[in-house]
């Protein structure tokens, strides 16, 4: 039976606008709703709290956007967070900077393993990273001795609780990372190569692009960003809890990326959209909390948002 493609011209323009600006429209609508029905939502303290709370998801989502841009997925970001959180208190006695470097390197091992499996061994990204999702967190628990460890170093705590002219350090770090990743994607040759690999890997190989190296670097960057999120999360809690930190954050990160307009089929990376997607999820969660809605509903809503976002991305052309 032959395949017939049916295009819907009248719906096409509106759907294209929804794909491009839908996440921003959703943020505006929810903010307006909160202005009308949620008391004290727009206080300075609450807005600052929401910005701090969105930081871990946003930082992880930046790395996830790069991976999805190559038509991959990384389910091990929570394990990378747990590994960094487990290692950090063990080496804080050597100094703030050495401890941070060692924690990042520990998470890099997970990213390196992912990159090697995907780029050089040829394992599917979802399989490779699912393996590291389980093994990485198990290793983090072994490193931590399956114990909660307090973190009292003031330099570390400042990352999660300190401010500069009233702006939390965590927010400043996230903003800096957003700027760096945006420049990487939009202004560098590497960013163009990344998009080319995600758009058509075979064509990229034939064009002479270093596809394997690009994939390896992307998974390394994703692991490092997840580690940064884990360090900030540990600083906020003033404790290393590798058993729980980063649980299900891969769901939130993927949702933020997809809702922000980066297709799961790869070939595009929307950094501004990813930031907006992370903010949308945080606003939805905060709204539900303010109205005493159980957290389980937040997870269900995130799953529903993924389905709707993917449908919108694929909805402008229907095949019969």
């Amino acid at each position: 039976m032959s395949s017939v493609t049916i295009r819907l011209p009248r719906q096409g323009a509106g759907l294209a606008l929804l794909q491009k600006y839908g996440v921003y429209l959703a943020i505006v609508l929810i903010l307006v709703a909160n202005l009308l029905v949620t008391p004290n939502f727009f206080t300075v303290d609450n807005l600052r709290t929401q910005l701090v709370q969105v930081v871990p998801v946003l930082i992880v989502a930046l790395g996830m956007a790069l991976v999805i841009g190559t038509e991959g997925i990384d389910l091990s970001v929570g394990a990378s967070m747990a590994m960094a959180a487990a290692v950090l208190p063990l080496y804080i006695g050597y100094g703030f900077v050495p401890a941070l470097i060692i924690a990042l390197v520990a998470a890099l091992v997970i990213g390196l393993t992912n990159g090697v499996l995907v780029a050089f061994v040829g394992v599917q990204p979802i399989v490779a990273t699912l393996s590291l999702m389980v093994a990485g967190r198990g290793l983090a628990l072994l490193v931590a001795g399956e114990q909660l460890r307090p973190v009292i170093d003031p330099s570390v705590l400042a990352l999660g609780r300190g401010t500069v002219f009233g702006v939390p350090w965590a927010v400043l770090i996230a903003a800096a990372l957003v700027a760096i990743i945006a420049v990487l994607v939009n202004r560098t040759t590497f960013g163009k190569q990344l998009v080319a690999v995600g758009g058509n890997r075979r064509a990229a190989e034939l064009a002479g692009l270093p596809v394997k190296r690009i994939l390896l670097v992307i998974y390394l960057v994703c692991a490092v960003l997840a580690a940064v999120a884990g360090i900030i999360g540990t600083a906020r809690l003033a404790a290393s809890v590798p058993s729980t930190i980063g649980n299900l954050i891969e769901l939130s990160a993927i949702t933020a990326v997809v809702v922000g307009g980066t297709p799961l089929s790869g070939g595009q990376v929307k950094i501004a959209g990813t930031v907006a997607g992370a903010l949308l999820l945080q606003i939805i969660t905060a709204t539900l909390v303010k109205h005493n809605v159980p957290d389980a509903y937040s997870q269900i809503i995130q799953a529903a948002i993924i389905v709707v976002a993917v449908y919108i991305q694929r909805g402008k052309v229907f095949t019969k």
Side-chain angles (χ1 to χ4, degrees):
M1 182 179 294
S2 61
S3 178
V4 179
T5 300
I6 302 175
R7 297 184 182 274
L8 305 179
R10 293 185 178 180
Q11 296 181 6
L15 189 55
L17 289 174
L18 186 60
Q19 290 171 336
K20 190 172 183 179
Y21 301 109
V23 63
Y24 306 105
L25 176 61
I27 289 176
V28 171
L29 292 176
I30 294 176
L31 288 177
V32 170
N34 277 303
L35 181 63
L36 297 175
V37 302
T38 307
N40 302 318
F41 190 87
F42 285 90
T43 62
V44 173
D45 288 342
N46 181 59
L47 293 178
R48 183 187 294 115
T49 298
Q50 302 313 319
L51 286 176
V52 171
Q53 289 181 343
V54 78
V55 164
V57 171
L58 172 56
I59 294 176
V60 172
L62 291 175
M64 189 69 73
L66 299 180
V67 174
I68 290 177
T70 63
E71 201 180 6
I73 202 79
D74 190 347
L75 301 179
S76 67
V77 287
S80 296
M81 290 180 65
M83 181 61 73
V87 169
L88 183 65
L90 299 179
Y91 294 94
I92 200 64
Y94 293 94
F96 174 64
V97 174
L100 288 183
I101 293 174
I102 295 172
L104 293 176
V105 170
L108 267 175
V109 173
I110 294 177
L112 178 63
T113 306
N114 285 332
V116 169
L117 288 175
V118 173
F120 295 93
V121 180
V123 179
Q124 291 183 338
I126 192 170
V127 176
T129 59
L130 180 61
S131 301
L132 270 296
M133 173 186 177
V134 178
R137 189 173 293 275
L139 184 58
L141 290 172
L142 289 176
V143 170
E146 299 187 15
Q147 295 180 357
L148 181 151
R149 295 181 182 273
V151 177
I152 60 176
D153 183 85
S155 298
V156 175
L157 296 179
L159 294 177
R161 303 180 177 187
T163 61
V164 179
F165 301 111
V167 181
W169 267 111
V171 175
L172 292 174
I173 293 170
L177 291 174
V178 168
I180 292 171
I181 299 300
V183 170
L184 176 69
V185 170
N186 299 315
R187 303 293 181 183
T188 68
T189 300
F190 182 83
K192 295 178 181 178
Q193 292 176 339
L194 182 161
V195 171
V197 171
N200 190 322
R201 185 176 302 183
R202 180 57 180 164
E205 291 174 345
L206 293 175
L209 297 183
V211 173
K212 293 181 179 179
R213 186 177 68 193
I214 292 168
L215 291 174
L216 178 62
V217 170
I218 289 303
Y219 282 95
L220 289 172
V221 171
C222 187
V224 168
L225 290 172
V228 173
I231 292 169
I232 292 175
T234 299
R236 284 184 57 204
L237 294 173
S240 169
V241 194
S243 61
T244 59
I245 190 169
N247 277 344
L248 295 181
I249 199 167
E250 58 278 351
L251 171 63
S252 298
I254 293 169
T255 305
V257 173
V258 174
V259 170
T262 299
L264 290 172
S265 56
Q268 297 181 49
V269 180
K270 302 293 183 65
I271 299 302
T274 297
V275 175
L279 289 173
L280 175 63
L281 294 183
Q282 180 58 40
I283 294 171
I284 290 174
T285 300
T287 301
L288 295 176
V289 170
K290 289 285 186 180
H291 291 277
N292 299 315
V293 178
D295 183 62
Y297 289 97
S298 177
Q299 297 177 16
I300 294 172
I301 290 173
Q302 285 188 40
I305 289 174
I306 291 178
V307 174
V308 173
V310 172
Y311 174 78
I312 290 174
Q313 285 180 4
R314 298 172 62 88
K316 60 182 176 181
V317 177
F318 297 88
T319 300
K320 184 178 180 180

